[in-house]
Amino acid sequence: MANNREILLVKRPRKEPASDHLTITETDMPVPDEGEVLLRLLYVSVDPYMRCRMNEEASPMTPFELNQPLEGGAIAEVLESRSPKLNAGDIVTGNLLWREYSAADPGSLRRIDASLAPATTALHVLGLTGLTAYFGLMDIGKPQEGETVVISGAGGAVGSTAVQIATIAGARVVGIAGREDKVELIQKLGAAEAINYHEADFSQALQAACPEGVDVYFDNVGGEISDAVYPLLNKFARVVQCGAISSYNKPHDQGPRHQKHLLASSAIMKGFAVHDYRDRFPEGLQFLTKWLNEDKLTYEETIIEGFEQIPDALFGLFRGTNIGKQLVRVAKPGQEKE
Ligand code: NAP
């Protein structure tokens, strides 16, 4: 009986992902095996790395398979349990298929206690987003009190968290984003300066915002924005290469070279994947939870309603339509099945 829907990758994009690359199709309702649970999707996280997984070559990640459902961080409700590990009504998070109803192994799920923090925080500030900002900044960037930290993509999920963590560390933060409401958010979150990179005189504005140069550059975007940051690096600066969203839709990306700037500043530049820190996730979550409870850390969410809106929410990341974390609400807990 087909009263379930899923989202499949049907064509690999060469540039911007669009509606002809994904399709929503009907599929059968799953029946959980002994030891499994039946899940109903509640919230889906859309993330820039998903665009990289749409390519045929996505190393070190596994490419999404053609004509198979996409998957990613999500929150679901347990509708039926055939496992002693979870009960009907539990709210869980995990890497789930973009399918409204799925059967899953409880071993791949984590129960969320929504009395401690809103459930959606598991998909951002108390999840991989927060951990990315925490480890990238604290383990690679290592900001010292009074140092200047520049953060690109600062109005997004990782960036807005990094702005706050750098502020907690006592650094002077300069955030970069592409919309005025993001600029206002970055300032509200504690940055000394926030700059819209669409300004005609962006490079000069950045230089003026960093009169003592740049000690840490937390880079979420790469491209021309980073080209403007490299000449400002101070001696022994640290460049945290967290992401490069400006290049994800470009089969070839060529820009000014940064080697001479690293050489001149004796800077280090390090890329990372948050999963490199898997063994230290409890440490990161402990700090993030503490700061959240102490109101030193907050978060912004952009929530779109409806399973069928998931593709547009993903595409919107590349047009900057989100402020803070982009989520899609698919259903409410306890909602009657249609
Ligand atoms: P996000 O920042 O919430 O959303 C993406 C934002 O990127 C958009 O809102 C847009 O903001 C900006 N953007 C899109 N296209 C751009 C372009 N061509 N040039 C400049 N900015 C552009 O996404 P997120 O989840 O927090 O991820 C941020 C970055 O971190 C991504 O590069 C992602 O791949 C990376 N990441 C890395 C790890 C890791 O383990 N290393 C983990 C998570 C995320 P504007 O309006 O400001 O343009």
Side-chain angles (χ1 to χ4, degrees), residues 157-214:
V158 173
S160 61
T161 310
V163 165
Q164 298 173 81
I165 297 176
T167 304
I168 291 168
R172 180 177 176 278
V173 179
V174 176
I176 303 170
R179 255 175 32 195
E180 280 313 303
D181 56 347
K182 297 186 188 184
V183 164
E184 281 166 29
L185 172 71
I186 295 162
Q187 284 165 334
K188 199 179 86 187
L189 296 177
E193 304 263 1
I195 306 169
N196 186 333
Y197 66 83
H198 292 301
E199 278 178 26
D201 57 351
F202 165 64
S203 291
Q204 292 95 307
L206 183 65
Q207 194 169 3
C210 304
E212 294 180 22
V214 176

Side-chain angles (χ1 to χ4, degrees), residues 26-100:
E26 299 224 321
T27 184
D28 288 342
M29 275 299 286
V31 178
D33 283 335
E34 189 59 39
E36 288 189 332
V37 291
L38 176 66
L39 298 177
R40 178 184 197 158
L41 219 46
L42 299 180
Y43 287 94
V44 165
S45 167
V46 290
D47 297 273
Y49 77 86
M50 292 168 172
R51 169 65 187 85
C52 304
R53 289 193 67 189
M54 292 164 98
N55 293 335
E56 199 163 3
E57 172 53 56
S59 177
M61 294 174 282
T62 314
F64 289 128
E65 279 184 46
L66 279 178
N67 303 313
Q68 293 296 321
L70 286 84
E71 61 177 16
I75 293 173
E77 178 180 17
V78 177
L79 291 186
E80 185 188 327
S81 179
R82 300 191 65 196
S83 161
K85 293 181 185 159
L86 289 172
N87 298 313
D90 283 348
I91 306 297
V92 294
T93 184
N95 202 56
L96 301 176
L97 297 176
W98 285 4
R99 184 183 276 162
E100 286 177 296

Side-chain angles (χ1 to χ4, degrees), residues 48 132 156-158 177-178 182 197 220 242-244 246 248 272-274 317 320 322:
T132 301
V158 173
K182 297 186 188 184
Y197 66 83
N220 284 305
C242 176
S246 71
Y248 295 172
F272 75 106
V274 65
L317 294 175
N322 63 304

Side-chain angles (χ1 to χ4, degrees), residues 118-298:
T120 54
T121 57
L123 294 180
H124 45 80
V125 68
L126 298 184
L128 292 178
T129 296
L131 291 165
T132 301
Y134 176 83
F135 287 112
L137 204 55
M138 302 311 263
D139 202 67
I140 303 172
K142 297 190 171 74
Q144 305 298 305
E145 194 151 346
E147 284 192 327
T148 299
V149 176
V150 170
I151 300 173
S152 60
V158 173
S160 61
T161 310
V163 165
Q164 298 173 81
I165 297 176
T167 304
I168 291 168
R172 180 177 176 278
V173 179
V174 176
I176 303 170
R179 255 175 32 195
E180 280 313 303
D181 56 347
K182 297 186 188 184
V183 164
E184 281 166 29
L185 172 71
I186 295 162
Q187 284 165 334
K188 199 179 86 187
L189 296 177
E193 304 263 1
I195 306 169
N196 186 333
Y197 66 83
H198 292 301
E199 278 178 26
D201 57 351
F202 165 64
S203 291
Q204 292 95 307
L206 183 65
Q207 194 169 3
C210 304
E212 294 180 22
V214 176
D215 301 294
V216 177
Y217 176 35
F218 190 104
D219 187 10
N220 284 305
V221 305
E224 289 172 13
I225 293 169
S226 298
D227 293 338
V229 179
Y230 282 112
L232 307 178
L233 293 178
N234 283 337
K235 192 83 180 160
F236 304 123
R238 287 81 70 198
V239 177
V240 184
Q241 199 60 58
C242 176
I245 192 167
S246 71
S247 68
Y248 295 172
N249 292 326
K250 293 183 181 163
H252 306 288
D253 193 18
Q254 176 75 62
R257 314 266 185 198
H258 55 252
Q259 288 89 342
K260 67 180 179 202
H261 299 299
L262 294 181
L263 200 55
S265 59
S266 305
I268 62 149
M269 179 182 185
K270 188 174 184 309
F272 75 106
V274 65
H275 293 288
D276 298 344
Y277 294 93
R278 184 176 288 283
D279 293 348
R280 289 175 58 194
F281 280 3
E283 168 204 322
L285 286 175
Q286 191 185 336
F287 277 102
L288 293 164
T289 306
K290 176 175 172 289
W291 291 330
L292 196 64
N293 290 337
E294 291 172 352
D295 291 330
K296 289 181 178 164
L297 192 58
T298 182

